Amino acid sequence: MADIIALLLPFFGLILIGYVAAKVTRQPAEALGWMNTFIIYAALPALFFKLVSRTPVEELTRIDFILGEVGATYLVFFTLFAIGYVIRRNSLGDCTIQSFAGAYGNIGYMGPGLALLALGESAAVPVALIVCFENAFHFIMAPALMAIAGGDKRPAGEVAIDIAKKVAVHPFILSTVFGFAFAAFAVEPPDAFSTLVDYLAQAAAPCALFAMGVTLALRPIKRVPVEIGYISLAKLVILPATTYVVLSLVGSFEPVWVYSAILLSALPTATNVFVLGQQYGVWQERASASILITTILSVATLPVVLYLIHSGALPADLFP
């Protein structure tokens, strides 16, 4: 367990440094803009391109893995949606953001750095596929549900076109597609290009974690949602358990693929959930609180997940 703690300390240390820096310097939220731009449009896309382009193409076409992982996410998502809508009688808009709080993990900022650190370079491909396809589905589901809820007043055709554009041009997805093309055609990029990609990729995890800490500091808890108990349980415990069960049922995968999916499923709520709430004017303060609370709780839950993986207590296939 000491090895697990030592592995996670630098990871959460970068988040803490960002948090403290934001509290001490008291920069406005807008000051983070260019760093987020660098992370989203340069550093993380370079990392995903690097990981995917250097992988045998047959490993990039595991549709069973993609469907199993995304299916597990949306099994939890719609369960939370049903709880909010049927049992708690919340609005469609509130249920949408609540469900994302319990099913949309911080896979972009936290996922690649933690998975590669904990599981090694062999985790690169499943991580890239998860980030690409999870984000694609989230970009489709969020505006579609908010349009049904009445949070988006545009005509259905205009909403559909906007969704298609967001999916098609998102940097994470584009970089994964280009990486896939390079792998499929065995393209060997020039040394100068490869060096540039390496420089950007190396900056991805530290910058993303620092920016996450700053973001948490700039969004203090103002309103704790009454739903936080079951949302936290769903995000940090039920989702990784569901992912494990579904992937065991769907097919036979390399252990590192299963463990990568479990680890990414166990990450705290994504900061994008607050952005979604802000965009549609729904559940904003409570989304911010959910991000901060699940991030704090993950300091305790992630070591347990990593211990189960590294100790061998969690077999790669639940139903061998």
Side-chain angles (χ1 to χ4, degrees), residues 179-315:
F180 189 99
F182 272 61
F185 295 103
V187 177
E188 192 67 38
D191 289 344
F193 177 79
S194 296
T195 301
L196 174 61
V197 169
D198 286 342
Y199 282 157
L200 291 171
Q202 289 166 13
C207 290
L209 295 171
F210 179 88
M212 183 181 168
V214 173
T215 302
L216 292 173
L218 295 176
R219 294 176 187 156
I221 295 179
K222 295 180 180 178
R223 185 179 180 185
V224 177
V226 295
E227 304 89 351
I228 192 61
Y230 68 80
I231 285 176
S232 297
L233 181 65
K235 183 70 219 61
L236 301 175
V237 179
I238 295 175
L239 181 55
T242 303
T243 299
Y244 180 42
V245 172
V246 170
L247 288 180
S248 294
L249 289 170
V250 166
S252 178
F253 306 104
E254 289 293 324
V256 71
W257 284 57
V258 176
Y259 295 145
S260 297
I262 292 170
L263 184 57
L264 265 63
S265 295
L267 295 176
T269 302
T271 52
N272 279 347
V273 175
F274 172 79
V275 176
L276 288 172
Q278 192 175 48
Q279 180 180 350
Y280 295 104
V282 175
W283 221 66
Q284 299 173 61
E285 292 181 353
R286 287 170 289 180
S288 179
S290 298
I291 294 164
L292 182 56
I293 291 169
T294 56
T295 300
I296 292 171
L297 291 175
S298 72
V299 176
T301 58
L302 279 174
V304 174
V305 172
L306 285 170
Y307 176 77
L308 291 174
I309 291 172
H310 282 281
S311 68
L314 200 67

Side-chain angles (χ1 to χ4, degrees), residues 52-299:
V52 174
S53 64
R54 300 178 184 180
T55 301
V57 69
E58 59 270 14
E59 293 187 28
L60 300 173
T61 55
R62 295 297 304 265
I63 301 299
D64 50 352
F65 175 79
I66 294 165
L67 292 178
E69 198 281 333
V70 174
T73 297
Y74 278 93
L75 186 60
V76 173
F77 178 93
F78 284 115
T79 299
L80 290 173
F81 194 95
I83 291 171
Y85 193 69
V86 177
I87 298 176
R88 298 192 54 79
R89 303 293 183 181
N90 295 142
S91 68
L92 269 175
D94 279 359
C95 290
T96 299
I97 306 302
Q98 288 172 26
S99 301
F100 275 115
Y104 188 178
N106 212 323
I107 55 176
Y109 276 25
M110 296 180 72
L114 180 57
L116 293 175
L117 186 65
L119 303 173
E121 285 291 324
S122 55
V125 180
V127 168
L129 292 176
I130 290 168
V131 172
C132 176
F133 283 95
E134 283 262 359
N135 277 298
F137 274 90
H138 296 331
F139 298 152
I140 293 169
M141 190 64 67
L145 286 175
M146 293 309 295
I148 294 171
D152 195 326
K153 304 297 183 182
R154 294 174 298 169
E158 189 176 334
V159 173
I161 292 171
D162 186 52
I163 291 172
K165 285 181 179 177
K166 285 181 178 178
V167 172
V169 303
H170 192 279
F172 294 176
I173 296 169
L174 279 177
S175 60
T176 304
V177 170
F178 279 118
F180 189 99
F182 272 61
F185 295 103
V187 177
E188 192 67 38
D191 289 344
F193 177 79
S194 296
T195 301
L196 174 61
V197 169
D198 286 342
Y199 282 157
L200 291 171
Q202 289 166 13
C207 290
L209 295 171
F210 179 88
M212 183 181 168
V214 173
T215 302
L216 292 173
L218 295 176
R219 294 176 187 156
I221 295 179
K222 295 180 180 178
R223 185 179 180 185
V224 177
V226 295
E227 304 89 351
I228 192 61
Y230 68 80
I231 285 176
S232 297
L233 181 65
K235 183 70 219 61
L236 301 175
V237 179
I238 295 175
L239 181 55
T242 303
T243 299
Y244 180 42
V245 172
V246 170
L247 288 180
S248 294
L249 289 170
V250 166
S252 178
F253 306 104
E254 289 293 324
V256 71
W257 284 57
V258 176
Y259 295 145
S260 297
I262 292 170
L263 184 57
L264 265 63
S265 295
L267 295 176
T269 302
T271 52
N272 279 347
V273 175
F274 172 79
V275 176
L276 288 172
Q278 192 175 48
Q279 180 180 350
Y280 295 104
V282 175
W283 221 66
Q284 299 173 61
E285 292 181 353
R286 287 170 289 180
S288 179
S290 298
I291 294 164
L292 182 56
I293 291 169
T294 56
T295 300
I296 292 171
L297 291 175
S298 72
V299 176

